[in-house]
Amino acid sequence: MSDILQKINNGFVFSDGAMGTELQKAGLKPGELPERMNVHSPEVVTGVHKSYLDAGSQIITTNTFGANGLKYKDEELQDVVTAAIDNARQAISTGDYGEDKYVALDIGPTGMLLEPLGNLGFEEAVEAFAKTVRAAGDKSDIILIETMNDCLETKAAVLAAKENSKLPIFVTCTFDEHMKMMTGADPAAMTAMLEGLGVSVIGANCSLGPEQMVPVVRKFYERASVPVMLSPNAGLPRMENGNTFYDVSPEIFAEEMVGIAKAGARILGGCCGTTPEHIRAMRRAVTEMAGEALPVEEKDLTVVSSYTHAVTFGDLPVLIGERINPTGKKKFKQALRDNDLDYIISQGTEQQEAGAHVLDVNVGLPEIDEPKLMTDTVKALQAVCDLPLQIDTTDPEAMEKALRIYNGKPMINSVNGKQEVMDMVFPLAARYGGVVVGLTIDEDGIPEDAEGRVRIAEKIYREAARYGIQKRDIVIDPLAMTVSTDDHAGRVTLESVKRITDELGGKTSLGVSNISFGLPDRGVMNQTFFLMAMMSGLSAGIINPRSQELMKAWHAFAALTGRDENCSSYISYASEHPTEMTLKVSGNTGTPGGDNGGSPGSPDGGTAGNAGNTDGAVKAEDPLIHAVEKGLKERARAAAGEMLGTGADPLELIDKKLIPALDSVGKGFEKGTLFLPQLLMSAEAASAAFAAVREHMGSSGEDSGSKGKVVLATVKGDIHDIGKNIVRALLENYGFTVTDLGKDVAPEKVLEAVRDTGAPLVGLSA
């Protein structure tokens, strides 16, 4: 453990406050890149650092927030970063502060959205951050990745730090008043991913004022086994006479930061609008309550996550959808051969609507390029579906590529007791994070008794520990073997589940339907076995969520064991699915990202339970609206083409199908039940449908119905174009003709575009 981590574990540690607003006071010009002041005005930057040191800051963050390989060329980036660290060291050396001081290499977001939502490739983002880390070398004490507002970009930055440095990594993200990041992640999801990646400290910065951030800190502390950090703004900014002001005074800031400390934060600092006076007052107030610091302790939670939410293994068995798998599925195999991602995605969205918590993803066929198809499938699924995924493959290359680009903390299916398999899987799990499924097989095969399977489980735990993987990140699958060939198969599996749960304190999963291969009326057998396994302590079942028998068994188990208050979820599900043997999927299409009559135990407020929604039949009858709302681009294009081919009026299709679908998605976004990824993918799907309309109307009608012309640009000196791109997509889908000039655009070029197009409206992003 490094010195700084030991200090944090022993008490409170204080970071500094805002850099940007202090540099503005010292002469930073509008549009000037602040990092260049490290080189041409080092005395100014050093003076800001020293003012925070004098105020009691123990961690000083370098003036490198925007210094990355996308904004600076290599030579200048090296100069800027080196000078920034030198300035921080120089400030520390100028005073006798009587305690250790630490320099944190500050890394902020790129300001661009990653694919598939934006144009920045994942590896491009990793390399942009890596250039900053390499430029710093080992000259800092900490790498602080801060103000992150996208889960995937955060992962890119962490991988860049891990792969180019051995320094402790601190990560803080930005959250809104609903405790959500820009692309939808909550603190539970970020805790799962970041702890899986092995960061040393997690938390939040910027966002709101300290009072509004107390719930965020509480949620982080509730979930995290590492220290929590918070650096809030001095309230929200307001403009007066062209100047920016923040309403939270140093005295109020200090008082509210005491509440933050009591909620569980160990590292405390400030962000926008905070000054040395804020930090001085905060340190004085928090130091007085040093004995009240909440302990940093292991939470022992088994958690996977998507880019929006976490799924925790615990009170109720997690439902893992099994349908994205070619085994025994002729149509799915053909979809894999044809690279039909739309069909694969549809299997995911249908399972989400049916109530799955996690989706198993297996695309392995001998004749295909599995590494490529696995990564393409993971990206495509995560673009339209916010459930965590289980990466299911025996191909090490496919596994690593999928884990690297996965947006969250996945399940990894699977490892087993064979040494060569553990040697292959565990290093990947340690590097990228994940919950590993461990099958009770070794070099001698599958033990015939529970004792042998428990013994292999213990072996898997021991070997995982050698790689730093804790028991909480292992789920043991003691294997359900068919009872048609072995009378004792069911009993042995159930006994294994119970012993692993009770004796080893482990989590378990089973492929439920394996038990009934070769038997008639398999649904009854699967349902009964599933109930018996849950009563034995099963933590997760790999099932078909479109099976009424299995879903009713799960809901009944929840009600019978007191986990479904007033049996409300059971009643809701049974009411929606009155038949005994079939599942009418069209009546079960919950809003993606919402919580529509969710199943009890839908982990951490996720999107698992959508059984209570009754508007699905309408969506199923209108494939175009459904495709746009789900973000299925190719299906939207095909549906629009089919409707136009059968005589639909193009303008009526726009007004009565596409616009209402976009309105529905927009309302979900406003309510916080849908997030930016779903909004953008729906916009993409609508764009594909609009393209079909334009093709049908022909070149003469291409501009028909345009609501007006708009020029958009990101201003000179700025490459942050997230907001502009969102506005462009939505304006185009609502019928406006948009001229997008891109980023880093000079004012003269904007004026030229206005003259050329005659646009009455200009949108500038900065």
Side-chain angles (χ1 to χ4, degrees):
M1 180 184 293
S2 73
D3 178 48
I4 179 62
L5 297 182
Q6 185 66 53
K7 186 179 288 289
I8 293 167
N9 280 321
N10 289 338
F12 295 114
V13 170
F14 301 94
S15 186
D16 53 10
M19 172 62 72
T21 47
E22 294 301 294
L23 291 180
Q24 287 170 358
K25 295 175 188 176
L28 179 67
K29 298 178 178 63
E32 181 183 2
L33 296 179
E35 297 83 19
R36 286 180 173 151
M37 292 187 75
N38 294 321
V39 177
H40 69 67
S41 302
E43 70 286 351
V44 173
V45 179
T46 300
V48 174
H49 289 319
K50 192 173 187 312
S51 68
Y52 282 119
L53 289 165
D54 292 339
S57 296
Q58 296 161 281
I59 297 174
I60 296 299
T61 53
T62 58
N63 179 32
T64 52
F65 179 81
N68 60 61
L70 298 175
K71 189 176 287 187
Y72 292 92
K73 293 182 179 179
D74 291 356
E75 184 175 349
E76 185 179 15
L77 180 64
Q78 182 67 62
D79 292 342
V80 162
V81 172
T82 299
I85 297 174
D86 289 345
N87 292 338
R89 294 289 183 201
Q90 174 64 25
I92 292 172
S93 69
T94 59
D96 181 13
Y97 294 108
E99 62 182 1
D100 293 331
K101 302 290 184 177
Y102 305 92
V103 174
L105 174 67
D106 192 25
I107 295 177
T110 63
M112 301 174 68
L113 278 176
L114 274 62
E115 295 174 345
L117 305 179
N119 300 318
L120 183 62
F122 181 77
E123 294 302 336
E124 289 181 85
V126 173
E127 179 58 19
F129 292 124
K131 285 183 176 181
T132 305
V133 177
R134 289 195 293 267
D138 59 359
K139 299 181 184 69
S140 66
D141 305 301
I142 301 160
I143 296 174
L144 172 62
I145 298 166
E146 61 146 311
T147 322
M148 304 305 287
N149 50 35
D150 173 40
C151 182
L152 190 60
E153 186 179 27
T154 307
K155 181 173 183 176
V158 172
L159 288 178
K162 285 182 64 173
E163 293 167 359
N164 294 277
S165 173
K166 296 187 181 302
L167 294 175
I169 302 169
F170 294 12
V171 180
T172 58
C173 307
T174 64
F175 295 89
D176 63 18
E177 63 273 18
H178 303 295
M179 290 200 294
K180 297 288 187 181
M181 290 169 61
M182 181 183 68
T183 51
D186 61 16
M190 294 310 295
T191 301
M193 184 187 77
L194 294 172
E195 285 198 348
L197 289 169
V199 306
S200 300
V201 170
I202 60 175
N205 76 296
C206 202
S207 308
L208 307 165
E211 183 179 17
Q212 293 83 11
M213 295 299 287
V214 171
V216 173
V217 173
R218 285 183 179 143
K219 180 57 70 172
F220 269 124
Y221 183 76
E222 174 188 307
R223 310 285 301 192
S225 299
V226 298
V228 176
M229 178 175 185
L230 188 79
S231 298
N233 292 338
L236 294 176
R238 57 183 173 82
M239 296 295 292
E240 287 186 10
N241 301 319
N243 297 313
T244 305
F245 293 92
Y246 291 83
D247 288 331
V248 177
S249 67
E251 293 74 24
I252 295 174
F253 185 82
E255 180 181 332
E256 292 176 348
M257 289 302 285
V258 168
I260 292 292
K262 289 181 177 179
R266 279 296 183 103
I267 308 98
L268 303 123
C271 201
C272 303
T274 57
T275 65
E277 288 71 30
H278 286 80
I279 300 304
R280 181 177 288 106
M282 174 190 70
R283 175 154 187 177
R284 186 184 306 116
V286 174
T287 300
E288 292 176 359
M289 54 153 292
E292 302 177 51
L294 295 178
V296 179
E297 56 189 9
E298 293 288 330
K299 301 305 192 297
D300 198 30
L301 298 173
T302 300
V303 188
V304 293
S305 68
S306 68
Y307 64 87
T308 61
H309 68 280
V311 170
T312 304
F313 291 68
D315 196 35
L316 272 170
V318 171
L319 301 177
I320 303 172
E322 68 180 10
R323 301 301 297 170
I324 304 177
N325 190 316
T327 304
K329 303 180 186 72
K330 184 177 180 180
K331 190 173 181 180
F332 192 88
K333 288 180 181 179
Q334 192 57 48
L336 295 180
R337 296 186 186 103
D338 296 341
N339 198 38
D340 186 356
L341 288 177
D342 249 24
Y343 179 80
I344 298 171
I345 291 169
S346 73
Q347 296 300 299
T349 57
E350 286 176 8
Q351 289 182 99
Q352 177 169 14
E353 291 160 2
H357 304 140
V358 176
L359 299 178
D360 183 74
V361 181
N362 185 321
V363 296
L365 283 180
E367 65 268 32
I368 67 168
D369 182 349
E370 186 178 353
K372 183 180 186 305
L373 187 54
M374 177 62 88
T375 54
D376 288 347
T377 299
V378 168
K379 289 178 182 178
L381 275 169
Q382 291 205 292
V384 300
C385 175
D386 70 345
L387 294 187
L389 304 181
Q390 176 170 268
I391 310 301
D392 186 354
T393 180
T394 58
D395 183 322
E397 183 184 358
M399 182 177 289
E400 176 160 21
K401 287 189 172 182
L403 292 177
R404 186 170 180 83
I405 56 92
Y406 179 79
N407 196 355
K409 180 184 179 183
M411 292 190 75
I412 303 170
N413 190 8
S414 58
V415 76
N416 59 46
K418 295 179 181 179
Q419 193 62 47
E420 64 175 345
V421 176
M422 292 189 287
D423 290 344
M424 184 272 286
V425 174
F426 283 143
L428 297 179
R431 183 175 186 179
Y432 297 109
V435 170
V436 185
V437 178
L439 308 179
T440 54
I441 308 172
D442 63 9
E443 288 79 2
D444 297 323
I446 303 170
E448 295 182 359
D449 58 9
E451 183 67 34
R453 298 185 196 187
V454 170
R455 188 165 55 248
I456 294 176
E458 292 176 318
K459 177 183 178 182
I460 291 171
Y461 289 142
R462 285 195 304 271
E463 190 68 14
R466 290 184 53 238
Y467 292 89
I469 301 170
Q470 300 187 53
K471 182 190 289 186
R472 68 185 182 212
D473 283 330
I474 302 288
V475 172
I476 299 295
D477 186 337
L479 299 169
M481 311 302 292
T482 178
V483 293
S484 65
T485 58
D486 180 357
D487 293 342
H488 303 291
R491 177 183 57 77
V492 170
T493 298
L494 293 171
E495 182 184 347
S496 300
V497 168
K498 186 168 181 56
R499 290 188 59 182
I500 292 166
T501 302
D502 294 345
E503 297 175 16
L504 304 184
K507 299 293 189 295
T508 56
S509 70
L510 287 172
V512 173
S513 63
N514 294 346
I515 200 72
S516 64
F517 284 141
L519 294 173
D521 206 357
R522 293 183 62 192
V524 173
M525 181 68 73
N526 293 342
Q527 182 184 53
T528 305
F529 178 67
F530 190 31
L531 276 169
M532 296 175 72
M534 289 189 287
M535 291 303 296
S536 298
L538 185 70
S539 308
I542 304 175
I543 68 164
N544 176 7
R546 296 169 64 184
S547 162
Q548 252 193 62
E549 294 96 335
L550 295 177
M551 292 303 292
K552 283 187 174 180
W554 189 83
H555 283 274
F557 173 79
L560 291 168
T561 54
R563 296 169 169 93
D564 180 9
E565 188 174 354
N566 299 320
C567 299
S568 58
S569 185
Y570 176 81
I571 293 170
S572 175
Y573 186 85
S575 298
E576 287 297 312
H577 305 83
T579 60
E580 289 298 321
M581 301 301 296
T582 60
L583 176 62
K584 184 181 178 184
V585 180
S586 63
N588 188 32
T589 56
T591 303
D595 184 14
N596 305 315
S599 306
S602 296
D604 303 315
T607 62
N610 293 315
N613 196 350
T614 59
D615 66 352
V618 176
K619 294 178 183 176
E621 290 168 5
D622 199 320
L624 179 54
I625 291 178
H626 186 261
V628 171
E629 290 184 338
K630 296 295 184 184
L632 302 175
K633 185 161 59 173
E634 294 306 317
R635 287 199 173 193
R637 181 190 293 272
E642 185 176 334
M643 290 178 181
L644 293 166
T646 57
D649 178 78
L651 296 180
E652 189 170 318
L653 185 147
I654 292 172
D655 290 339
K656 295 190 177 179
K657 305 285 186 184
L658 295 178
I659 297 302
L662 285 169
D663 285 344
S664 174
V665 173
K667 289 174 183 176
F669 183 72
E670 289 178 357
K671 292 177 182 176
T673 58
L674 286 175
F675 305 104
L676 185 60
Q678 290 116 321
L679 181 72
L680 292 181
M681 294 313 295
S682 290
E684 287 286 321
S687 294
F690 274 110
V693 172
R694 285 193 294 270
E695 290 169 9
H696 179 80
M697 295 172 71
S699 58
S700 63
E702 188 161 330
D703 291 329
S704 178
S706 173
K707 294 182 179 178
K709 298 177 180 179
V710 183
V711 172
L712 298 180
T714 296
V715 300
K716 181 70 176 176
D718 196 351
I719 64 168
H720 301 75
D721 62 352
I722 293 174
K724 173 182 65 64
N725 291 342
I726 296 168
V727 171
R728 182 197 67 215
L730 294 176
L731 284 174
E732 287 177 341
N733 284 340
Y734 277 88
F736 290 87
T737 301
V738 178
T739 300
D740 183 355
L741 301 178
K743 57 199 175 190
D744 195 23
V745 180
E748 294 80 8
K749 188 174 180 181
V750 177
L751 292 174
E752 182 182 344
V754 172
R755 292 192 189 101
D756 291 345
T757 63
L761 183 65
V762 175
L764 298 179
S765 179

